[in-house]
Amino acid sequence: MNKLDSAGHSIYFETGLESLANIVESGRYSKIFVFADSNTSELCLPLFREMMNDFHGFDLIETDPGEENKNIDFCIGIWKTLLDFGADRKCLMINLGGGVITDMGGFVASTYKRGIDFINIPTTLLSQVDASVGGKTGIDVDNVKNMVGTFTLPQCVFIETAFLKTLPQRELLSGFAEMIKHGLIADQEYYQNLKNSDYLQVSAPAIYRSVEIKNDVVTEDPHEKGLRKILNFGHTIGHAVETYSLINDAQPLTHGEAIAIGMICEAFLSSTNNTFKAEELEDVTAYISKLYPAYAIKEESFAQLMEFMQSDKKNENGQIMFSLLSGIGKCDYNCRVSEKDILESFAYFNHIGFNP
Amino acid sequence: MNKLDSAGHSIYFETGLESLANIVESGRYSKIFVFADSNTSELCLPLFREMMNDFHGFDLIETDPGEENKNIDFCIGIWKTLLDFGADRKCLMINLGGGVITDMGGFVASTYKRGIDFINIPTTLLSQVDASVGGKTGIDVDNVKNMVGTFTLPQCVFIETAFLKTLPQRELLSGFAEMIKHGLIADQEYYQNLKNSDYLQVSAPAIYRSVEIKNDVVTEDPHEKGLRKILNFGHTIGHAVETYSLINDAQPLTHGEAIAIGMICEAFLSSTNNTFKAEELEDVTAYISKLYPAYAIKEESFAQLMEFMQSDKKNENGQIMFSLLSGIGKCDYNCRVSEKDILESFAYFNHIGFNP
């Protein structure tokens, strides 16, 4: 269980960064950069250094934390910093942080001088179970999530649960939403196990299983031509809610909180537009709404949410496309849903008592 | 001679865009965009439409012409325009223009929503013999040429000499420099044939041979790990001179003019640092200096030129790397050259009478 071979690269679990120490000491790279945000540079960098035998042979590139900084302006800044540091094509970038860092760091690395090597060390639960696999890099433009990016694999990925100890509870809960999603779309037993577990005590084997599910899907369909779209369950509405919240809420939702909302709405759509049963919907709704904080999808936001969904990357020919459950542990993609049904799913969500 | 199969895509020669008409009529794409600059939209678009059976089923995205506009700000503008037009992942971008359009259009397409299909129709001699092959996309950041980009292949490339009829002589001469380079690095006979030809009457078979030479090289080494670097002969100094000229000269050099200068300097370096013979140097110098307009590499520019060369993408561990001829038709790469020799090559250039 300490290594998972994905297409073209390896994902290491709980190995104490041993092979990374070997890589940086091999002299294969002309320079080594660590890319982190101010949070991870304070909280995770000391642990990283310690695991790497008191490693100091790198330049640190630090950015501001938060999704709102995963944008092109910061990218330009990092490209220029690399140039100022004299980074050539043979340098290595180590992305140490959550999804913002691995998404943006991956994009910068995959485009700087047409591509330098990078390695991801996801330090949040969310990035460990989600961003760590699949080779998606990306940044937001005009608040549209991941509007620009590439499909580029890191050289390898290191997952160390030791980093999770620095995480606030809310961040653990955010990552847990993606794990629930993995169960719902692909593994009923795993979903049941999660229901009987405590997200504050998330285990390495559970993380491994999530990564394995995602890896199986992306290996079969790396460029999201078909099957990979099932990973977007909960994300069509979830992303729209997240974007709206980022712009309008004083305390914006985390990614996982938005996806939790999206999963309830899309479980409802699965019951009206696919073979998902009423009792399955009830089960999912009860579990998620107990776990996640209350929220209301305000009526005045409906039009803007629809607009955000119109620019969803899964769409084809202007038609909003959903990935919908056909049962717990099974998911279909390319499902068309009417605007009326989408609005009804908002109403369903607002009436389940999730409403504050 | 009407189709060359390159790794993963085809390059069509003088086929009157027939297969392109088939592709756009197939309905495979949700939307079609033509990306052009104001020059090519005026001069080449009418011919494009005519060849495509009076085709109007596309949205035009127009930008300002010139290398100085191949930058990230224009990219952001194009990404946003695509979004405003409702471009999804199944749309097609047709890049109609010179290297600026195919480089920047390719970069925008390869990163928009993590990549949409694109087709290149190079309309200048330079882009037909150079940018058309090899899958390099790129933009300039902070005046550093192609600092950011990807390796992404177009779906296919169409080369039509009919577009060259709209080109000013100076632009033909610019592209001709790359053809001379192809002869010098890979095919002595081709070089001799070019010497006996008139660049104003450049022939389709000659263009085909240039594309073939470049294609053979990039097929063997798509990501420029080794052999592909020979295509940079003349470009280490040439790019630096071009960048300097773009910033400082009222009438900046064209790419080919800069590369012509770079080829003379690097032919000199080939004679001092490789097995290139004195009479070969004389031959190359005489031919190129007769063909291209006079220029002087000013002494006050030397320091800045060295600085530009320091950020050349071929460098490793801070060492400037050259591709140098070992004879006419043969080229080596990863050649180290001292700063003293580089300065001497400037002096050689300034004393051959090329100096105005």
Side-chain angles (χ1 to χ4, degrees):
Chain A
M1 204 206 79
N2 64 0
K3 192 170 148 221
L4 201 153
D5 284 311
S6 184
H9 74 309
S10 295
I11 303 164
Y12 294 91
F13 286 83
E14 307 283 64
T15 57
L17 304 181
E18 200 184 304
S19 10
L20 182 56
N22 292 338
I23 291 170
V24 301
E25 278 158 22
S26 71
R28 270 164 54 190
Y29 292 104
S30 60
K31 255 177 201 282
I32 291 164
F33 296 93
V34 172
F35 178 51
D37 64 36
S38 48
N39 287 340
T40 52
S41 110
E42 186 195 331
L43 297 170
C44 301
L45 200 56
L47 183 57
F48 165 80
R49 275 204 179 104
E50 195 186 308
M51 282 168 143
M52 298 277 289
N53 317 317
D54 197 28
F55 175 56
H56 280 80
F58 60 86
D59 288 310
L60 177 67
I61 300 180
E62 204 182 285
T63 183
D64 295 343
E67 179 80 27
E68 67 275 24
N69 297 312
K70 201 179 91 172
N71 61 39
I72 190 70
D73 293 326
F74 272 88
C75 280
I76 296 172
I78 307 163
W79 283 324
K80 289 185 184 176
T81 305
L82 284 169
L83 197 72
D84 289 344
F85 273 122
D88 62 23
R89 278 183 180 171
K90 292 231 165 165
C91 67
L92 171 71
M93 188 148 154
I94 299 173
N95 299 314
L96 180 74
V100 168
I101 290 298
T102 55
D103 281 6
M104 180 156 69
F107 178 67
V108 165
S110 71
T111 53
Y112 178 74
K113 299 197 177 186
R114 298 199 185 93
I116 56 173
D117 282 355
F118 64 101
I119 284 174
N120 287 343
I121 308 179
T123 58
T124 63
L125 182 58
L126 179 60
S127 58
Q128 290 188 350
V129 297
D130 190 19
S132 67
V133 207
K136 280 188 179 178
T137 77
I139 52 163
D140 307 340
V141 176
D142 261 6
N143 286 316
V144 180
K145 273 179 74 77
N146 298 318
M147 185 170 112
V148 165
T150 61
F151 285 103
T152 313
L153 288 171
Q155 294 302 105
C156 47
V157 176
F158 292 90
I159 294 180
E160 298 288 334
T161 53
F163 289 114
L164 301 182
K165 300 203 172 82
T166 67
L167 275 193
Q169 289 193 12
R170 197 175 169 205
E171 282 304 316
L172 283 173
L173 190 57
S174 178
F176 204 68
E178 293 289 348
M179 298 172 76
I180 296 171
K181 182 197 76 181
H182 290 139
L184 286 175
I185 62 173
D187 186 343
Q188 176 165 27
E189 194 188 326
Y190 178 54
Y191 170 72
Q192 296 301 343
N193 289 344
L194 290 175
K195 274 175 66 183
N196 296 325
S197 75
D198 175 3
Y199 77 90
L200 293 174
Q201 310 291 331
V202 63
S203 70
I207 294 173
Y208 185 87
R209 179 63 191 135
S210 260
V211 170
E212 197 175 42
I213 289 171
K214 177 155 185 192
N215 188 50
D216 286 349
V217 172
V218 300
T219 304
E220 199 163 316
D221 175 24
H223 290 158
E224 201 159 332
K225 300 289 182 194
L227 181 69
R228 185 171 178 158
K229 295 181 189 174
I230 67 169
L231 294 169
N232 285 303
F233 170 68
H235 283 62
T236 308
I237 292 176
H239 266 167
V241 169
E242 186 182 6
T243 304
Y244 181 86
S245 173
L246 200 62
I247 301 170
N248 295 284
D249 295 343
Q251 293 287 329
L253 294 167
T254 64
H255 177 70
E257 286 163 359
I259 295 317
I261 295 166
M263 285 196 288
I264 291 179
C265 294
E266 295 181 27
F268 172 83
L269 293 175
S270 300
S271 73
T272 53
N273 285 262
N274 203 349
T275 58
F276 203 56
K277 298 200 192 87
E279 60 267 32
E280 292 175 315
L281 172 61
E282 221 167 287
D283 181 291
V284 169
T285 303
Y287 175 46
I288 295 179
S289 60
K290 198 185 66 190
L291 206 54
Y292 286 84
Y295 191 79
I297 305 177
K298 294 192 209 89
E299 221 170 304
E300 64 259 33
S301 74
F302 288 2
Q304 213 178 345
L305 292 175
M306 294 306 300
E307 212 175 280
F308 289 141
M309 275 182 261
Q310 285 295 347
S311 60
D312 189 277
K313 283 187 292 299
K314 293 183 303 304
N315 295 347
E316 287 177 17
N317 297 306
Q319 168 77 45
I320 300 174
M321 296 296 227
F322 282 85
S323 298
L324 297 180
L325 303 174
S326 53
I328 287 179
K330 286 177 289 183
C331 191
D332 298 320
Y333 56 88
N334 285 355
C335 307
R336 284 152 200 265
V337 172
S338 70
E339 187 172 329
K340 183 173 150 286
D341 283 358
I342 298 172
L343 295 174
E344 262 175 39
S345 79
F346 295 161
Y348 171 78
F349 176 83
N350 283 335
H351 283 88
I352 53 172
F354 211 74
N355 204 327
Chain B
M1 205 209 74
N2 65 0
K3 191 170 148 220
L4 201 153
D5 284 311
S6 184
H9 75 309
S10 295
I11 304 165
Y12 294 92
F13 285 83
E14 306 284 64
T15 57
L17 302 182
E18 200 184 305
S19 9
L20 182 56
N22 293 337
I23 290 171
V24 302
E25 279 157 21
S26 71
R28 268 165 54 189
Y29 291 105
S30 58
K31 254 177 201 282
I32 291 163
F33 296 93
V34 172
F35 177 52
D37 64 37
S38 49
N39 286 341
T40 52
S41 109
E42 185 194 333
L43 297 169
C44 301
L45 200 58
L47 183 57
F48 165 81
R49 275 207 178 101
E50 195 187 309
M51 284 170 141
M52 299 276 291
N53 318 316
D54 197 28
F55 174 56
H56 280 79
F58 60 87
D59 288 308
L60 177 66
I61 300 180
E62 203 181 286
T63 183
D64 294 342
E67 178 79 27
E68 67 275 24
N69 298 312
K70 201 179 90 171
N71 60 39
I72 190 70
D73 293 327
F74 272 87
C75 278
I76 296 171
I78 308 162
W79 284 324
K80 287 184 185 175
T81 305
L82 285 169
L83 196 73
D84 289 345
F85 274 123
D88 62 24
R89 280 184 179 169
K90 293 232 164 164
C91 66
L92 172 70
M93 187 149 156
I94 298 174
N95 300 314
L96 181 74
V100 169
I101 291 297
T102 56
D103 281 5
M104 180 155 70
F107 179 67
V108 165
S110 71
T111 53
Y112 178 74
K113 299 197 177 186
R114 298 201 184 92
I116 57 174
D117 282 355
F118 65 100
I119 283 174
N120 286 344
I121 308 179
T123 58
T124 63
L125 182 58
L126 179 60
S127 59
Q128 291 188 351
V129 297
D130 190 19
S132 68
V133 206
K136 279 189 179 180
T137 78
I139 52 162
D140 306 341
V141 176
D142 259 6
N143 286 317
V144 180
K145 274 181 71 79
N146 299 318
M147 184 169 113
V148 165
T150 60
F151 285 104
T152 314
L153 288 170
Q155 293 303 107
C156 47
V157 176
F158 293 89
I159 294 180
E160 298 289 334
T161 53
F163 289 114
L164 302 183
K165 299 202 174 83
T166 66
L167 275 194
Q169 290 192 11
R170 194 176 172 206
E171 282 303 315
L172 284 173
L173 191 56
S174 178
F176 204 67
E178 294 288 349
M179 299 172 74
I180 296 172
K181 182 197 76 182
H182 290 138
L184 286 176
I185 62 171
D187 186 343
Q188 176 164 28
E189 194 188 327
Y190 178 53
Y191 170 73
Q192 297 300 343
N193 289 344
L194 291 175
K195 274 175 65 181
N196 296 325
S197 75
D198 175 3
Y199 77 89
L200 292 174
Q201 310 291 331
V202 64
S203 70
I207 294 173
Y208 184 86
R209 179 63 191 135
S210 259
V211 170
E212 200 175 39
I213 289 171
K214 176 156 186 188
N215 187 49
D216 287 347
V217 172
V218 300
T219 303
E220 201 165 311
D221 175 25
H223 289 157
E224 202 159 331
K225 301 290 182 195
L227 181 70
R228 185 171 179 158
K229 295 180 189 175
I230 68 170
L231 294 167
N232 285 302
F233 170 68
H235 282 63
T236 308
I237 292 175
H239 266 166
V241 169
E242 185 181 9
T243 304
Y244 181 87
S245 173
L246 200 63
I247 301 170
N248 295 286
D249 294 345
Q251 294 286 329
L253 294 167
T254 64
H255 177 70
E257 285 163 0
I259 295 315
I261 295 166
M263 285 195 289
I264 292 179
C265 294
E266 295 181 25
F268 173 82
L269 293 175
S270 300
S271 72
T272 53
N273 285 262
N274 204 351
T275 58
F276 203 56
K277 298 202 191 82
E279 60 266 32
E280 293 175 314
L281 172 62
E282 224 167 283
D283 181 292
V284 169
T285 302
Y287 174 46
I288 295 179
S289 59
K290 198 185 64 190
L291 205 56
Y292 287 84
Y295 191 78
I297 306 177
K298 295 192 208 90
E299 220 171 305
E300 64 260 34
S301 73
F302 288 1
Q304 213 177 346
L305 292 175
M306 293 305 302
E307 211 175 281
F308 289 142
M309 275 182 257
Q310 284 296 347
S311 61
D312 190 276
K313 286 189 288 303
K314 292 184 303 305
N315 294 347
E316 286 179 17
N317 296 305
Q319 169 76 44
I320 300 173
M321 296 297 228
F322 282 84
S323 299
L324 297 180
L325 303 173
S326 53
I328 287 179
K330 285 177 291 182
C331 191
D332 297 319
Y333 55 88
N334 285 356
C335 307
R336 284 153 200 263
V337 173
S338 70
E339 188 173 329
K340 183 173 151 285
D341 283 358
I342 298 173
L343 295 174
E344 262 174 40
S345 79
F346 296 161
Y348 170 78
F349 175 83
N350 284 335
H351 282 89
I352 53 172
F354 211 76
N355 203 328

